[in-house]
């Protein structure tokens, strides 16, 4: 029985984009831990240890984690001036830093 109005009761629709979908990695976090012991006093020859900077890291944070003392950040900075440049606050995620052995 037709009442003169079109019947759309069985119409289905969908939407697809032809644009490129870019993944959102803004909430990705990483952490690097090592089972290697840092050679105190520079002796030993265990090879050079490195640390990959994670989001939110600072040189003080890295020094506290690796040396147990945040104040030892200067040793990391001095060993990486060629990578970091003149501003020790300008480190970024993914940057690989050399971790020198330190003397207490």
């Amino acid at each position: 029985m037709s009442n003169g109005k079109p019947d759309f009761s069985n119409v289905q629709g969908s939407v697809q984009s032809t644009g490129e979908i870019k993944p959102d990695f803004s909430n990705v976090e990483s952490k690097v831990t090592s089972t290697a012991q840092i050679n105190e006093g520079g002796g030993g020859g265990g090879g050079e240890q490195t640390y990959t900077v994670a989001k939110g890291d600072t040189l003080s944070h890295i020094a506290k984690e690796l040396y147990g003392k945040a104040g030892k950040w200067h040793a990391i900075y001095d060993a990486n001036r060629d990578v970091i440049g003149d501003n020790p606050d300008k480190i970024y995620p993914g940057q690989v830093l050399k971790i020198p052995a330190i003397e207490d």
Side-chain angles (χ1 to χ4, degrees), residues 17-63:
S17 173
T18 58
E20 181 180 337
I21 298 173
K22 295 182 180 179
D24 177 13
F25 295 112
S26 63
N27 64 345
V28 173
E29 294 183 24
S30 66
K31 181 172 181 166
V32 176
T33 57
S34 175
T35 57
Q37 181 177 348
I38 296 174
N39 294 324
E40 299 293 331
E48 182 176 274
Q49 184 174 2
T50 60
Y51 178 90
T52 303
V53 177
K55 184 177 180 180
D57 273 346
T58 63
L59 291 180
S60 294
H61 171 262
I62 296 167

Side-chain angles (χ1 to χ4, degrees), residues 7-19:
D7 179 12
F8 295 109
S9 62
N10 64 348
V11 173
Q12 297 179 359
S14 67
V15 177
Q16 293 182 347
S17 173
T18 58

